[in-house]
Amino acid sequence: MNIIEANFDGLVGPTHNYAGLAQGNVASLKNADKPSNPKAAALQGLTKMLALHEMGLVQGVLPPQERPHIPTLKKLGFSGKDADILRKVKRDAPGLLASASSASSMWTANAATVSPSADCADGKVHFTPANLCTHLHRSLEHETTGRILQATFADARHFAHHAALPATPALGDEGAANHTRLCSDYGAAGVELFVYGKGAEDEPAPQKYPARQTRAAGEAIARLHQLDEARVIHAQQNPAVIDQGVFHNDVIAVGNRELLLFHEQAFADRKALRTNLRAALPQAVMIEVPTAEVSVADAVSSYLFNSQLLCPPAGGMYLVVAQECQENPRVWACVQRIIADTSNPVSAARVFDLRQSMHNGGGPACLRLRVVLSDAERAAVNPKSLINAERHTQLC
């Protein structure tokens, strides 16, 4: 049976803008109020989608959500026709207008946490939309995200859908941006790594920026997805790097199949993570990038660790990076070193211009939701959501 990992990218919506809404996201705050180009953003994303399709990978696309989100503005006391509401909000509460207009659903790494059928006791692929409750503009997404996922993965014989966790800070959930699955092969039972920023009261916490992901959320999702406790790892993100702009784990670590690539400052206890991962997956390959080679600031500005690790059918493992990685000499030297090292599976790098997304704090990995699928599960996916040359042309 052929088991593959598909990527489902978000299509950028026409209200893509830089409003600096994401506290702790350095690029988002740095570029606040700069002019954006929604059309360029959409075309940059579609270029990456087509390139992955042409590499032989299964590539999907998820639609943008309706914005401005008029129902939210009505809940907040604005009334009248839609145009009247927008004029009133712009005049009286421009911050609300920015939140209600955000195209942040383009970053589908935050759409949900996904567990493949090989990991789940009922043999189905499980989806839990992220509640994204720490920011108003993102908290508007999960209801529609759930409907999109149910329409894309509709066959109840293969797919199980859960509601988002209760939208409370105690259960803050940011989806796959803080979740990595490692395995010897996509079809084998894997190890699911849940990374959290906020845990028990006696655990260290960031002082400058909020910790968006909670351990309690990861534990709840592991139960909902019927995961084997022996193959689940909960690891705390280093609070010091959260305060340096590492708002999600996928800004400082990325994993695929047997490989985990991470910065030495990524985790609060990296030695324990290494021990636990090696015990759960003896085949695990871990590449730890030292601070002396790539600083946290360079990692954040280049989004080296927000790259995609992909296994095309032709073999090898590719690192898909943003153009900013190539433009940073220290980061690019690190990429070349990793490729040249035959002790790890990374064989090549692909570079993409994703500046419209990068300026808002989203790199290659932010733009995609990974879903491991068997032949039967892939056949059950809504075919209209899959990218091919014709669909790419239509969307462009």
Side-chain angles (χ1 to χ4, degrees):
M1 184 166 53
N2 183 38
I3 311 291
I4 55 92
E5 183 179 77
N7 290 274
F8 288 80
D9 285 33
L11 183 62
V12 179
T15 60
H16 163 63
N17 69 89
Y18 305 137
L21 297 173
Q23 187 181 11
N25 183 328
V26 172
S28 174
L29 296 172
K30 177 182 176 182
N31 293 297
D33 299 325
K34 288 185 178 180
S36 63
N37 188 325
K39 184 180 291 186
L43 292 172
Q44 286 172 2
L46 285 164
T47 296
K48 180 171 80 76
M49 293 184 224
L50 180 64
L52 268 57
H53 164 73
E54 291 178 339
M55 287 169 58
L57 296 156
V58 176
Q59 177 66 55
V61 58
L62 301 180
Q65 299 191 16
E66 181 183 359
R67 296 292 183 271
H69 199 245
I70 299 295
T72 291
L73 298 176
K74 289 182 176 179
K75 288 180 182 178
L76 297 176
F78 294 93
S79 60
K81 295 181 179 180
D82 289 359
D84 295 332
I85 288 175
L86 293 176
R87 279 192 290 269
K88 292 175 184 175
V89 176
K90 183 179 180 180
R91 181 191 66 205
D92 298 338
L96 287 180
L97 180 59
S99 292
S101 302
S102 174
S104 55
S105 65
M106 62 193 272
W107 296 303
T108 56
N110 302 117
T113 303
V114 185
S115 295
S117 53
D119 295 358
C120 303
D122 62 359
K124 296 182 179 182
V125 183
H126 283 246
F127 299 84
T128 298
N131 60 32
L132 299 167
C133 64
T134 59
H135 288 86
L136 173 59
H137 67 293
R138 302 227 62 177
S139 70
L140 309 181
E141 296 173 23
H142 66 81
E143 185 176 332
T144 301
T145 296
R147 294 202 302 271
I148 289 171
L149 293 173
Q150 290 174 42
T152 307
F153 307 95
D155 193 331
R157 295 173 298 175
H158 299 292
F159 307 118
H161 293 273
H162 306 279
L165 299 178
T168 169
L171 291 169
D173 176 27
E174 302 275 319
N178 294 302
H179 171 261
T180 301
R181 179 184 188 254
L182 300 160
C183 57
S184 58
D185 185 78
Y186 290 131
V191 176
E192 301 209 15
L193 171 61
F194 293 85
V195 181
Y196 63 92
K198 182 179 180 180
E201 291 297 327
D202 60 349
E203 288 185 288
Q207 301 301 305
K208 183 178 180 181
Y209 295 129
R212 303 187 189 182
Q213 185 77 30
T214 64
R215 177 169 182 147
E219 292 171 342
I221 291 170
R223 289 190 294 269
L224 287 167
H225 291 195
Q226 303 176 27
L227 302 181
D228 180 353
E229 290 184 2
R231 304 190 71 82
V232 172
I233 297 173
H234 297 280
Q236 186 181 18
Q237 189 171 349
N238 181 356
V241 298
I242 294 177
D243 281 339
Q244 295 177 69
V246 181
F247 55 99
H248 289 141
N249 181 62
D250 69 359
V251 179
I252 204 75
V254 59
N256 174 55
R257 212 173 58 191
E258 75 276 23
L259 175 63
L260 181 64
L261 169 63
F262 62 99
H263 193 277
E264 74 167 323
Q265 295 188 49
F267 301 100
D269 190 344
R270 71 182 192 278
K271 291 183 180 179
L273 173 64
R274 281 180 168 275
T275 299
N276 294 335
L277 181 55
R278 188 74 69 192
L281 186 69
Q283 307 95 324
V285 177
M286 288 170 266
I287 302 175
E288 182 176 319
V289 177
T291 304
E293 183 176 20
V294 175
S295 68
V296 173
D298 280 340
V300 171
S301 64
S302 69
Y303 269 35
L304 168 61
F305 298 95
N306 197 254
S307 303
Q308 292 178 257
L309 285 168
L310 304 171
C311 294
M317 187 179 293
Y318 282 36
L319 187 67
V320 171
V321 302
Q323 191 169 318
E324 283 77 358
C325 287
Q326 194 173 44
E327 294 170 350
N328 183 313
R330 293 177 296 277
V331 171
W332 192 240
C334 177
V335 170
Q336 297 306 307
R337 177 188 65 78
I338 291 169
I339 293 171
D341 185 353
T342 57
S343 67
N344 74 70
V346 181
S347 55
R350 292 287 301 270
V351 181
F352 290 91
D353 177 4
L354 299 169
R355 292 198 195 281
Q356 285 291 319
S357 178
M358 287 286 289
H359 285 173
N360 229 356
C366 286
L367 288 163
R368 63 91 173 94
L369 182 69
R370 295 183 286 183
V371 186
V372 171
L373 299 167
S374 67
D375 287 337
E377 292 159 356
R378 177 181 172 183
V381 174
N382 183 341
K384 293 183 178 180
S385 69
L386 297 177
I387 285 288
N388 53 37
E390 180 182 6
R391 186 151 294 113
H392 174 265
T393 299
Q394 291 170 342
L395 290 171
C396 283

